[in-house]
């Protein structure tokens, strides 16, 4: 037998149908702002086939096994990513709290009281009463969509947090791969510096012998000694840079990276560790809408749009219900054995805003301005995405030509150094020509290493700015989450 009498049951069901039956809110219809950027990323006419471009997964881009293992370490241990994951849990819980306001809160209240009173000189009387009552507590009927708007706002905030986590993970992959490549470049720079130092030391020994025999001048000997010390300075500087690059990689990985996962010394890890297929011509700018930071900005815009609906609904009456039904008796022992009597209460309330010194109008203005701010921020996110992509494509367009020219320059400076060194050793020229050629060769070798690093880093940058898929690897620290955040409630 139901605790609620038929009239109260009928009224409650009617109120429930009225509160939940509506599907509209007072929020304005959402329209995605037009793209404030050119139609294509490379200046060509947008290609319909290119619009189907799907950013590659990170394992298809970072192919070196050691680099992959380092990236897995970062996904499991990086603290920034851990904070982003915890923020998702927090936003999911806040969404569940807001969603709970759409449903009535049912409470069970039991009470027993006893009082003793003295009647006359010798007579006392004990009064007892017991009751058990279940009911609704201040349940708001969402007649004008205020709660639904707030619920939508909380949902969009949760989705924006999810996209922020995706953006954090994508940036982490790119930064970790770049730090790993920086170690490879530092190792190669250090190897060049040490090779140059060893060559200079051999030249110094030869010059000393030539000076002792009166063949080389004291100026040549002093020049070679200065060159040796300069090479020592460079070698020590590159050793410092290598140590700092390892520290940066450890920070990104969230733990000490084992030595066996570092780039192999002596091998050109920069050329083979990162692979990115050629981008189709006429790639439309609309592909940038899939970037997680752009999607996060759009979810924030949708949340601001929903907040306008809640601010508009605040101008209308708010109706709340407090109701209860149960049983009561004069004694606790009679409460459940048929001696009790039914009790019920029904307390509807309505709040109608009449005068609030313009506070509601100001709140609506704030909500509207917040939406306009989010529109500008969304457009700014798209423009930033276009600029980053256009810059990366501009580097990509000329990087192969720059590499060819630098390799040709290195070959030419190597021949110049070999000839100058041979002429010096045969006593034809002074050491000045050899020193000049050696410095040019050293600079050309270091520049080639930097250019190769730039080329590999450009592939990483394109993977990132095009919104590459960084989520195909499960994150070990991520809690199991349902696709529907409300499912956990």
């Amino acid at each position: 037998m139901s605790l609620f009498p038929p009239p109260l049951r009928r009224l409650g069901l009617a109120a429930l149908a009225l509160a939940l039956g509506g599907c509209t809110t007072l929020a304005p219809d959402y329209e995605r702002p037009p793209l404030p950027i050119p139609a294509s990323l490379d200046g060509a006419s947008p290609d319909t086939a290119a619009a189907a471009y799907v950013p590659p997964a990170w394992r298809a881009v970072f192919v070196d096994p050691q680099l992959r293992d380092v990236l897995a370490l970062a996904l499991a241990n990086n603290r920034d990513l851990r904070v982003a994951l915890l923020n998702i849990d927090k936003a999911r819980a806040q969404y569940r709290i807001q969603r709970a306001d759409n449903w009535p809160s049912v409470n069970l209240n039991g009470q027993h009281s006893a009082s003793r009173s003295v009647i006359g000189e010798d007579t006392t009387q004990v009064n007892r009463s017991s009751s058990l009552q279940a009911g609704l507590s201040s349940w708001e009927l969402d007649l004008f969509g205020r709660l639904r708007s707030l619920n939508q706002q909380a949902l969009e905030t949760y989705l924006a947090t999810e996209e922020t986590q995706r953006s954090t993970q994508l940036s982490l992959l790119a930064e970790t791969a770049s730090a790993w490549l920086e170690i490879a470049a530092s190792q190669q720079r250090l190897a060049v510096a040490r090779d140059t130092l060893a060559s200079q030391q051999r030249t110094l020994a030869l010059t000393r012998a030539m000076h002792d025999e009166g063949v080389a001048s004291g100026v040549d000997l002093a020049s070679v000694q200065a060159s040796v010390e300069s090479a020592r300075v460079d070698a020590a500087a590159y050793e410092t840079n290598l140590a700092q690059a390892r520290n940066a990689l450890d920070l990104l990985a969230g733990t000490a990276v084992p030595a066996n996962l570092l780039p192999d010394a002596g091998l050109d890890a920069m050329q083979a560790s990162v692979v990115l297929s050629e981008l189709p011509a006429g790639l439309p700018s609309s592909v940038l809408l899939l970037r997680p930071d752009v999607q996060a900005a759009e979810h924030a815009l949708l949340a601001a749009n929903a907040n306008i609906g809640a601010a508009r609904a605040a101008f209308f009456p708010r109706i709340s219900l407090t109701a209860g039904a149960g049983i009561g008796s004069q004694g606790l022992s009679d409460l459940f054995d048929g001696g009790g009597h039914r009790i019920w209460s029904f307390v509807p309330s309505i709040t109608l805003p009449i005068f609030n010194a313009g506070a509601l109008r100001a709140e609506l203005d704030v909500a509207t301005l917040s939406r306009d701010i989010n529109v500008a921020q969304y457009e700014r996110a798209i423009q930033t995405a276009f600029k980053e992509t256009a810059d990366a494509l501009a580097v990509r367009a000329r990087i192969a030509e720059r590499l060819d020219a630098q390799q040709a320059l290195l070959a030419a400076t190597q021949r110049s150094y070999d000839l100058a060194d041979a002429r010096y050793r045969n006593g034809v020229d002074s050491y000045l020509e050899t020193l000049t050629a050696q410095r040019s060769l050293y600079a050309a070798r270091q520049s080639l290493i930097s250019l190769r690093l730039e080329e590999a880093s450009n592939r990483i940058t394109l993977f990132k700015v095009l919104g590459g898929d960084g989520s195909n690897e499960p994150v070990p620290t991520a809690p199991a989450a349902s696709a529907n955040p409300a499912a956990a409630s």
Side-chain angles (χ1 to χ4, degrees):
M1 181 177 63
S2 173
L3 294 176
F4 293 95
L8 184 57
R9 289 202 303 272
R10 287 194 294 270
L11 182 59
L13 292 174
L16 181 61
L18 182 62
L20 302 180
C23 59
T24 61
T25 67
L26 299 180
D29 294 335
Y30 174 73
E31 293 183 4
R32 175 181 285 174
L35 293 180
I37 52 177
S40 69
L41 293 174
D42 54 9
S45 298
D47 188 350
T48 304
Y53 171 79
V54 177
W58 71 266
R59 281 190 172 273
V61 175
F62 306 112
V63 296
D64 186 277
Q66 295 164 285
L67 175 56
R68 284 181 175 180
D69 288 344
V70 173
L71 294 175
L73 278 178
L75 291 176
N77 298 288
N78 182 267
R79 271 37 177 199
D80 289 335
L81 183 58
R82 187 173 301 177
V83 169
L85 291 168
L86 293 174
N87 282 333
I88 288 181
D89 287 343
K90 179 181 176 181
R92 183 188 298 118
Q94 289 172 335
Y95 169 69
R96 289 162 53 198
I97 292 172
Q98 182 59 54
R99 181 175 176 269
D101 288 342
N102 293 332
W103 302 92
S105 177
V106 180
N107 301 310
L108 182 65
N109 180 33
Q111 185 176 0
H112 176 75
S113 64
S115 62
R116 178 177 179 272
S117 59
V118 179
I119 304 175
E121 295 182 357
D122 301 323
T123 305
T124 62
Q125 181 178 346
V126 178
N127 298 315
R128 301 177 184 273
S129 65
S130 300
S131 65
L132 182 65
Q133 186 173 0
L136 311 180
S137 176
S138 298
W139 175 38
E140 179 180 343
L141 301 181
D142 194 21
L143 302 180
F144 301 100
R146 189 185 75 89
L147 295 180
R148 288 193 295 276
S149 293
L150 293 176
N151 183 61
Q152 184 66 27
Q153 180 195 27
L155 176 61
E156 295 297 341
T157 300
Y158 163 75
L159 294 175
T161 307
E162 268 200 335
E163 294 299 332
T164 299
Q165 183 271 332
R166 283 185 54 219
S167 181
T168 302
Q169 185 162 319
L170 183 60
S171 297
L172 173 63
L173 289 169
E175 291 176 12
T176 303
S178 296
W180 190 85
L181 290 178
E182 182 62 39
I183 290 178
S186 295
Q187 289 175 335
Q188 294 181 25
R189 292 187 184 111
L190 178 59
V192 170
R194 286 174 173 172
D195 181 59
T196 301
L197 174 59
S199 175
Q200 293 300 313
Q201 288 173 335
R202 290 193 297 270
T203 301
L204 177 60
L206 174 62
T207 304
R208 279 202 180 102
M210 295 171 63
H211 179 266
D212 293 342
E213 295 175 2
V215 177
S217 67
V219 174
D220 286 347
L221 180 60
S223 297
V224 176
Q225 288 175 331
S227 180
V228 168
E229 298 307 320
S230 177
R232 285 181 57 198
V233 170
D234 280 356
Y238 285 125
E239 286 178 352
T240 301
N241 291 343
L242 178 58
Q244 291 175 338
R246 289 178 177 175
N247 293 337
L249 183 63
D250 288 346
L251 177 62
L252 289 166
T255 185
V257 177
N260 64 317
L261 297 185
L262 297 177
D264 294 330
L267 297 179
D268 191 2
M270 294 184 293
Q271 296 301 108
S273 58
V274 183
V275 175
L276 188 65
S277 59
E278 290 296 326
L279 299 176
L283 194 62
S285 300
S286 57
V287 300
L288 299 178
L289 296 179
L290 299 178
R291 278 183 37 152
D293 58 335
V294 174
Q295 296 223 338
E298 185 168 16
H299 283 303
L301 174 56
L302 285 164
N305 195 71
N307 196 39
I308 294 177
R312 287 176 174 176
F315 285 87
F316 294 90
R318 293 172 60 178
I319 300 175
S320 300
L321 295 180
T322 300
I327 52 178
S329 70
Q330 295 298 319
L332 183 61
S333 59
D334 299 331
L335 188 59
F336 300 104
D337 63 1
H341 56 276
R342 292 186 179 184
I343 57 175
W344 62 272
S345 63
F346 180 64
V347 187
S349 64
I350 182 170
T351 302
L352 177 63
I354 296 178
F355 176 75
N356 49 46
L360 293 180
R361 172 59 61 183
E363 289 175 359
L364 178 58
D365 290 343
V366 169
T368 304
L369 290 171
S370 295
R371 190 269 313 273
D372 295 341
I373 291 172
N374 278 274
V375 168
Q377 290 174 336
Y378 173 68
E379 293 174 341
R380 174 66 175 174
I382 294 175
Q383 290 175 337
T384 300
F386 181 84
K387 188 262 182 187
E388 292 175 349
T389 307
D391 286 349
L393 290 174
V395 173
R396 195 70 187 167
R398 296 288 180 269
I399 193 69
E401 182 180 352
R402 292 169 61 193
L403 276 170
D404 287 342
Q406 187 63 40
Q407 288 170 343
L409 175 62
L410 176 60
T413 54
Q414 182 68 59
R415 289 194 301 271
S416 175
Y417 171 74
D418 291 341
L419 291 173
D421 185 61
R423 290 173 65 87
Y424 169 70
R425 292 175 181 273
N426 289 297
V428 177
D429 291 329
S430 68
Y431 186 70
L432 179 60
E433 287 77 9
T434 305
L435 179 61
T436 301
Q438 187 273 330
R439 288 175 176 172
S440 297
L441 175 61
Y442 180 74
R445 294 178 68 184
Q446 295 288 7
S447 295
L448 181 59
I449 293 171
S450 297
L451 195 55
R452 285 177 174 173
L453 175 62
E454 182 180 351
E455 193 273 339
S457 298
N458 178 254
R459 285 179 253 157
I460 297 174
T461 300
L462 281 171
F463 165 75
K464 175 185 174 183
V465 299
L466 289 172
D469 180 11
S471 59
N472 68 323
E473 178 76 8
V475 182
T477 55
S482 169
N484 181 3
S489 60

